[in-house]
Structure formats: C-alpha cells, structure tokens
Amino acid sequence: MSRAVSTLVLVVFAFASPADAQIEIDGLNHYICHKAKDSKFHPDKFPKEAGRDPASVTAVELRDAYADEFFGGLGQRFDFKKYAGVCAPATKEKIVPGGTAGDGNAFSIVDDTLHLVDLQVKSSKKDADGNANPIGTFVKFPKGIQHRVVTQFFDEVVELKGPALALIGADKDDHGVRAKCKADVECASIPGTVCNPDTKTCLPADPLAGLPGAPRSGPNYLCYKAKQQAKQPPVLVLAQSQFTEGVTDPDEPLLFSVGKMTRLCLPANKAGEHPGADDGFDHLACYKLKQATKYANSAKTPFSSAVGGFDPGKAPKYKGGTVAVQTFNFGGRVLDLKGAGEFCTPAFRNTVGQSDGIPSCGDGILYDTPGALFEQCDDGNNDDGDGCSATCAVEGGECGDGVTQSALGEQCDDGNTLDDDGCSSTCQLEFCGDGTIQVGLGEQCDDGNGLDEDGCSSACQVEFCGDGTTQAGLGEACDDGNGSSGDGCSSSCVIEFCGDDLTQGGIGEQCDGTDDTACPGECTASCSCPMPGAFRLDSVAIADPPIFTGTFELTGLVNGLIANSVTMDTDPADGLYDLSLVTLLRPLGGVGTIDLGGADCSSPSPTTCDPQDPLNPLDGFTTAPYASFFAGTCLAHDPAVVGPNNNGVASVAINAPVAGADGCAIVAPTDITLNLLGLELPLLDVEVAAEYSGTPATALANGLLRGFLDQTTANSIILPASLPLVGGQPLSNLLRASELDTGPGGASGWWFHLNFTGESATWTGP
C-alpha cells in the first residue's frame, strides 16, 4: 500500500524478522560517503581563500524541522569550517541472511548527477561582521531526547547530539585515482591530464573546467550525531557509486558491511534558498560503512553461507582519488578522497511519542503489505468498537466477506472487493445515476441523474446526434440515425427543407434559394431548375482540315464512320445510340449557359438522354455562356485557315449559321474536349453556333463548331488500332503540314471546323 507524503512514497515490506521493516522513498538516492580534504591545488584553505565574502560562510542560517520543535521557530546559524567528505549516489542491494546476491531488495540510482559534500559546521555566536548572533542568545540542542528512525535497514531509537556537519547539494567532476608525477610525460597514460606543479599529481590543466556553468542549488541537510539505544546486527549490502565502479568490474558492485548509525540528517532551508525544505520528510540516516575484505562470510556475522556470485578470497578495495566539486555558495573546489566511510539511506524520523511521518496504526492510512506494520483497516483513530480496532484489525467481519454489515457502512457485500459488478470494492451499491461509470454493468456514461436528453440517458447510454432518438434537450430537431446530410435531417440533427438555402439532393432538390449552382438565378420555389432546352447532335461531320494518308484523302471515310456512330445502335446493340453529344441550353432561346458533353441517348428517336454517371450527371460536360441572336451571321469560317494548302476552299462545305426569324444560339469561346470515334480531341478557343428551328426551337440546324488543335497534342494522340488504314498512327500523320495554322498564343496546329445538326431530346438529368 503506498502513502503520499509530500513528494515521497513510503512502503513497508516483509523481511525474515517480524521486527524488520523496509522503507522505500521514491525519488531519493542512496549515498556512499568518502572522507575528503582540500587538495594542494588550492593555495588558500577553505573558507579563508582570497576573495571569499565572510557572509557566505559565517552565521549562515540552516533551518530544519527542529527550528519549530526546539528553537521557537528560529533557524540555527553556523560557521562553515572545512570540507570533510563527498557523498556519491549509489546503487544498493541488501543481502538477506542465509541467502545469496539477488535475494534482497535492490535500489538503483535516481539522479546520478546529484552529489553531496560534507562541510564541518560550528554554531555561530556572531555574524560575518563580528556582531552578536542575530537570532539572539545561543540555544544548544537539547540532550536526552530520543528519536525513532525507520530506514531500509532498521526501525530503532537513537539519541541525537548537536549538529556538527552539513550536507550540501553539489555537482562533481571525477578525476579518478591520482597518479604522482614530476613532469607532464609521466601523465601521458592518463588522457587529458598534465603534471600539476602544486599537487605533483596528474590532473587536467584546469581541474574545475569540467564543472557546469551554473552551480546546483541544494538540496541541503543539517546532520546530528546519533547514538543508538540498542545494538543492531551488521547488515551486508552490495553497493556501487561512480567512485567505486572501477575497483573490480564496471558492472560489479562491492560488498560492504553496514554498522551502527553515525548521524541523522534533516532537510534544511539554507539561507532562505529553499522555503519549505524544513518541512520535508526526506531525511538521510548515515551508517558506518566498512568494505568486506573477503567475500566469504565471517563467523562473526549471522550469515550462514557465502554471498552468491562471489568467490571466497580477498576483495579489492577502493583507495581514493581526486574530484572537483561545485556548490551554490562555495564555488568550485578540488578535493582528495579516501576510502568509503559511511552509507546514507533515506529515512523517516520522529520524536518518540509523536507520529510525525512514521507509519502507525491510527494515522488513517492503510498499510496492508505484510511486515512490521500490517493493518487490516485504519479508520484514523485507536478506538475499539467502530469496525476497526485499536490495533487496526477488522472487527466483526469486513467488506468482501459476503455478509452485508450496515454497522460498518456497507450497503451490499457480494463476497469480493471488485468494482463494476453492482457492489463496489467498498461495499457500496453501484447503479446507473451514481455518477460513476460502471463498464461492467453496461454503462457508457453516468452523469449522476436519471434524466434523458442531457447527453447521458436515464439508462446511462451516451446520447448523440445520429443515435436515432431526437433529444430536444440537446438542441436536436430530428434524428434519423445517421450522420449524413441531404436526406431531410442534417448531420447536426437539424431539419432540412426546401427554402433553407441548402440543396438537399437526397430529398429531390436541384437547387435551394441562394444555393443555385445548378441553375444560377433560376431556382424555382419548389427547389428545382427549369428544364433546359436539350438537343442531341444527330449529325456531325469534319469539314476542315482534310484528312489524308499519303496522297489519299480520308475525309469522307472518317465522316462516314462518325455518321454511323451518331445514327446507329450497333456497338453494342443496347438500345442506345453509339455516340451521343448533347447540348443543354439554360434557358432555351434566351441568354444563359450551355452544357456540352456526352450522354446515353435512346435509339430510335424521339430520344431520351440520361447522364452517363447518375451520381455526377454533368461530369465531363463543358459549361459556357451563350446568347440568342435574331439578326446577322452567327458564325463563319476564316478562309485563310481552310482548304488544301489553306487556299480558302474546303473539301466539304462549311456551315455558316445565320439568324433568321427563329434566331440562333452563339456560344462564347471556351475549351472543349470532343470524343469522336474513340478519340479525345482537346480543342482550344472553341466557338459554336447553330440556327433554331421553330419557336420554341425543336431542332438545331446549320450548326458550326470551330476550335484549334495544337501540333504537339496531335502528335500525342494515337489513332485506335481498330480504324482501317490509319490505326496506331499519330493523328498528326493524317493532317498535312502544308495546312498548319497559327492558333492561341502563336501555337502551331490546325483549326478544326465541324458541321452539325441537333434533334430535340428529353433530358433526365438536372
């Protein structure tokens, strides 16, 4: 069971002895601490080096939890004397008695950059300027007060004495084991080092250069000497820090014996830098550490067998080295290290008789993992008769025993402590409307009420647009069970109707008010477009340029094939003309637009024409403006671009539509792609005109279509292999170079002239 304490987590685990407990505090390192002293690299001793501001090391306030407990809320002030040690983050694994390596609980390094330096401190009676201590009369730390300390090793009582050391958060740059030297050449085997004349050892030219630019600010601890009230058996641990990892193998820890507690370090707010740090629970308990000289167990220890994974024999020892450290107030310093002397581990503590941070029955937190403290319940008091006894044992049954005990506040008891089955893990009834979603009961939602039309129904199902039920409370006017628009009920559950300015094809609309793309300005009150004047071209012939293969003219042959496809139903015989080109005039006989494209038209005439793609009825059509005229020539050819060698005399007479009494239709220049005999002809600057027959027109007569085909495009168009004589050839092979014309943008090509007529047709599309 986990317990949140500030940013810490405390867990109790079982060990061999019932009194043995382990405290795991997430987010904190273990440390191996080494004695240290100033290297000869520094000409001045700390803290009296040149340039040092006395205020940074004299009468510095360190405020810990004892400030409120023993000093009336005042922080203690100290003079910093000298460096005493460096503590490096370490891995740790406890060796279980009678077991082997790997049987204990292992902990890795949380932050491998966070080191701590030991500084000797002395209670200050004056400030940096020689004035009296600003906190007034100096108060000594009280004697004889016992403190309970729980760590990963022991749960024990100690007596603390006044502080003598402070642990200050630091950055570190390790320079390894120092090699003696007299000249630089002797340091060649240690990359990046030179012989330092002050220390006569191999060091980097600037030993402080590898430290970060901005020093670390904390964490900081104030450490009190600890005297154990009862002797504890030694503990074997496997541990490794950055200083010790090279002693044997980089991946192999060393074996240590952890002895008596030497000090307890409380988190401290140094000089006001970390407000609130003195309220923290992240203590460190430090124990005397001795490296095992042999891997085999000694008769003096309670361990009955050798530590697995290690061979009996003499163990290598860490002999010390040199390290550069940097702290927030004290700057950079090069220190010489000795062997490991202490092991510091996360700890909880309180003054005996208090319950401040150490797990206990009655603190309202359930510790249900077997160990020194195992609770069946914890109701926050030490009273009997309320369902949870003074020793935190369940009285008269418990939730999950299959018996509903109303005295314990149970509403149900289904014999388990699972949620989502109608009876919760706390024996409370689960139901639709309790505000908790029970997926196991089929609930999709639960908004804590039994109402519909608020997004979660009275049956705890999600209500949404598209679920087939109209929820007026959600602003829905309809709900047809889908998320589609255009069918009378939109995708946002709004009713669609003729007159809402949105064309809904699903309910038969062709247009709707301002949404009149299909017939601009002509949408009727019934949301339909006026029927266009529809004509099917019932004759089409190429008048110019002439079609040749070699010296043999094929114009007549080609026109005969076109005529067959326009007038016959043979390929295939399916009741449809083989080729149908349709013009749709909107409106007929006035000024508007014309659509020109292919359609499926019934044979024989009178004909009905259907869109080739019902879903996209005008797909492939070209739309252009057109106007009706009732006087003059509607369209004529340019003699300079027709006939053999452009002599002005075409081999087939070219139509010249004239506006008579019935008038004619003239189409504004546009680009059109015509499909003739399986060929797609992309013509540029196409002009179209035809005479009306009748009022209103029932046919188109004397029609002319004129457009330009550039030479490059003609080269790329390959004639169908099914065409006799010319199949498989580029279209340009059939067009003589002597008749090349100049088209839009100065392009070289041929002006095509096609004669046509049109019969009235019934159009089934829009």
Side-chain angles (χ1 to χ4, degrees):
M1 184 71 184
S2 62
R3 171 189 183 184
V5 183
S6 182
T7 58
L8 311 179
V9 177
L10 177 149
V11 181
V12 182
F13 290 93
F15 273 79
S17 168
D20 195 8
Q22 182 181 42
I23 302 299
E24 175 186 348
I25 304 178
D26 288 348
L28 292 183
N29 283 328
H30 298 75
Y31 293 92
I32 294 177
C33 297
H34 302 261
K35 293 182 179 180
K37 65 177 182 179
D38 271 327
S39 170
K40 293 181 180 179
F41 173 78
H42 298 283
D44 299 323
K45 294 292 184 182
F46 176 88
K48 298 182 179 181
E49 68 258 39
R52 165 69 66 186
D53 180 3
S56 68
V57 293
T58 303
V60 178
E61 183 184 29
L62 284 171
R63 179 185 178 88
D64 62 13
Y66 290 140
D68 291 327
E69 199 165 335
F70 299 124
F71 298 101
L74 299 176
Q76 303 177 73
R77 291 186 176 262
F78 298 92
D79 298 337
F80 286 87
K81 308 301 290 183
K82 68 177 181 178
Y83 284 94
V86 177
C87 299
T91 62
K92 187 228 74 170
E93 181 175 3
K94 180 178 177 181
I95 306 302
V96 176
T100 60
D103 291 340
N105 291 93
F107 296 90
S108 59
I109 293 174
V110 175
D111 183 352
D112 61 2
T113 67
L114 175 57
H115 292 66
L116 301 172
V117 294
D118 252 334
L119 285 159
Q120 283 188 0
V121 295
K122 182 179 180 181
S123 295
S124 176
K125 297 182 181 180
K126 295 183 179 181
D127 63 17
D129 298 323
N131 301 316
N133 190 329
I135 67 170
T137 304
F138 176 73
V139 181
K140 289 186 177 182
F141 187 77
K143 296 182 179 180
I145 297 179
Q146 295 181 334
H147 303 262
R148 182 185 174 196
V149 179
V150 182
T151 71
Q152 295 170 350
F153 301 130
F154 307 111
D155 180 351
E156 58 184 325
V157 176
V158 299
E159 182 178 331
L160 302 183
K161 295 183 179 181
L165 292 168
L167 284 173
I168 306 298
D171 297 300
K172 178 271 311 180
D173 186 17
D174 188 9
H175 298 316
V177 178
R178 289 175 58 172
K180 296 184 179 299
C181 63
K182 294 181 179 180
D184 290 346
V185 67
E186 298 177 56
C187 299
S189 61
I190 307 176
T193 65
V194 296
C195 188
N196 187 282
D198 298 313
T199 65
K200 291 183 173 53
T201 56
C202 296
L203 288 175
D206 182 359
L208 300 177
L211 295 170
R216 181 187 297 271
S217 175
N220 304 305
Y221 297 84
L222 187 58
C223 299
Y224 297 79
K225 294 180 180 179
K227 181 179 180 181
Q228 293 172 304
Q229 299 301 293
K231 188 176 181 180
Q232 301 288 357
V235 175
L236 284 183
V237 297
L238 294 172
Q240 182 186 60
S241 73
Q242 295 174 357
F243 297 146
T244 66
E245 65 181 6
V247 174
T248 55
D249 181 273
D251 297 321
E252 186 175 282
L254 297 178
L255 183 65
F256 294 94
S257 175
V258 175
K260 66 179 182 179
M261 185 186 297
T262 56
R263 52 177 163 157
L264 178 68
C265 301
L266 278 64
N269 176 11
K270 178 169 72 70
E273 297 165 8
H274 297 89
D278 48 310
D279 294 327
F281 288 90
D282 45 336
H283 299 54
L284 289 175
C286 299
Y287 295 85
K288 186 176 181 180
L289 188 68
K290 183 178 181 181
Q291 186 178 343
T293 56
K294 290 187 178 182
Y295 289 133
N297 287 297
S298 168
K300 297 180 180 180
T301 69
F303 302 97
S304 59
S305 65
V307 177
F310 293 89
D311 297 324
K314 193 169 184 179
K317 296 187 68 174
Y318 174 71
K319 298 180 180 179
T322 298
V323 65
V325 296
Q326 176 180 253
T327 58
F328 184 66
N329 295 100
F330 308 134
R333 203 77 182 170
V334 179
L335 303 175
D336 292 336
L337 304 184
K338 293 184 179 181
E342 286 181 301
F343 189 87
C344 296
T345 183
F348 283 100
R349 68 93 206 168
N350 71 356
T351 303
V352 172
Q354 297 179 350
S355 180
D356 181 16
I358 295 180
S360 61
C361 175
D363 62 7
I365 300 170
L366 180 64
Y367 304 99
D368 56 0
T369 302
L373 177 62
F374 176 75
E375 300 176 336
Q376 293 179 332
C377 58
D378 195 319
D379 56 2
N381 63 57
N382 296 111
D383 300 329
D384 291 318
D386 58 0
C388 185
S389 73
T391 58
C392 290
V394 173
E395 296 176 315
E398 60 182 352
C399 176
D401 60 7
V403 178
T404 302
Q405 296 148 130
S406 57
L408 297 180
E410 296 183 358
Q411 296 177 344
C412 58
D413 196 319
D414 56 2
N416 64 58
T417 54
L418 302 176
D419 291 316
D420 262 6
D421 59 359
C423 186
S424 75
S425 59
T426 57
C427 289
Q428 303 300 301
L429 289 173
E430 299 172 315
F431 57 91
C432 175
D434 62 4
T436 300
I437 299 172
Q438 281 88 225
V439 177
L441 299 181
E443 296 183 1
Q444 296 177 345
C445 58
D446 196 320
D447 55 2
N449 63 54
L451 303 177
D452 292 315
E453 295 194 11
D454 59 358
C456 186
S457 74
S458 57
C460 288
Q461 302 300 299
V462 174
E463 300 172 314
F464 58 94
C465 176
D467 61 5
T469 301
T470 301
Q471 282 92 222
L474 297 180
E476 296 181 2
C478 59
D479 195 321
D480 56 2
N482 63 55
S484 302
S485 296
D487 56 1
C489 185
S490 74
S491 59
S492 55
C493 290
V494 175
I495 294 174
E496 300 170 316
F497 58 92
C498 178
D500 61 4
D501 288 329
L502 294 172
T503 301
Q504 283 86 229
I507 56 175
E509 295 183 359
Q510 295 177 328
C511 58
D512 195 324
T514 58
D515 187 6
D516 59 355
T517 303
C519 48
E522 298 181 8
C523 189
T524 68
S526 60
C527 292
S528 62
C529 292
M531 289 302 296
F535 298 92
R536 174 184 172 272
L537 303 191
D538 56 358
S539 71
V540 178
I542 299 174
D544 193 78
I547 309 299
F548 278 84
T549 177
T551 59
F552 182 66
E553 185 173 358
L554 300 176
T555 307
L557 174 62
V558 171
N559 284 337
L561 294 173
I562 295 174
N564 289 341
S565 65
V566 170
T567 60
M568 299 177 67
D569 172 21
T570 60
D571 187 18
D574 55 1
L576 301 175
Y577 287 110
D578 293 340
L579 174 62
S580 292
L581 298 177
V582 174
T583 62
L584 306 173
L585 284 73
R586 308 174 192 272
L588 175 60
V591 176
T593 61
I594 184 172
D595 298 314
L596 176 63
D600 292 334
C601 297
S602 63
S603 172
S605 297
T607 185
T608 297
C609 297
D610 299 324
Q612 293 177 339
D613 183 354
L615 297 179
N616 299 285
L618 295 179
D619 185 37
F621 276 71
T622 297
T623 301
Y626 101 98
S628 299
F629 287 82
F630 296 91
T633 300
C634 299
L635 183 62
H637 68 273
D638 180 359
V641 298
V642 301
N645 301 315
N646 290 334
N647 62 7
V649 181
S651 57
V652 177
I654 299 176
N655 290 346
V658 176
D662 296 337
C664 69
I666 301 177
V667 180
T670 188
D671 296 338
I672 296 177
T673 297
L674 291 179
N675 191 319
L676 296 175
L677 301 179
L679 289 180
E680 290 192 349
L681 299 179
L683 301 179
L684 308 177
D685 274 9
V686 175
E687 295 177 282
V688 183
E691 299 172 3
Y692 293 133
S693 292
T695 304
T698 58
L700 298 178
N702 204 28
L704 173 62
L705 182 150
R706 181 179 67 186
F708 185 78
L709 177 67
D710 71 74
Q711 187 175 15
T712 301
T713 302
N715 291 336
S716 65
I717 298 175
I718 305 301
L719 300 173
S722 60
L723 292 178
L725 301 177
V726 296
Q729 298 183 41
L731 176 59
S732 57
N733 283 7
L734 308 185
L735 304 173
R736 296 191 296 191
S738 61
E739 296 172 9
L740 282 169
D741 307 317
T742 301
S748 178
W750 296 268
W751 282 100
F752 271 70
H753 297 73
L754 281 74
N755 296 333
F756 69 88
T757 59
E759 63 176 336
S760 180
T762 299
W763 173 245
T764 63

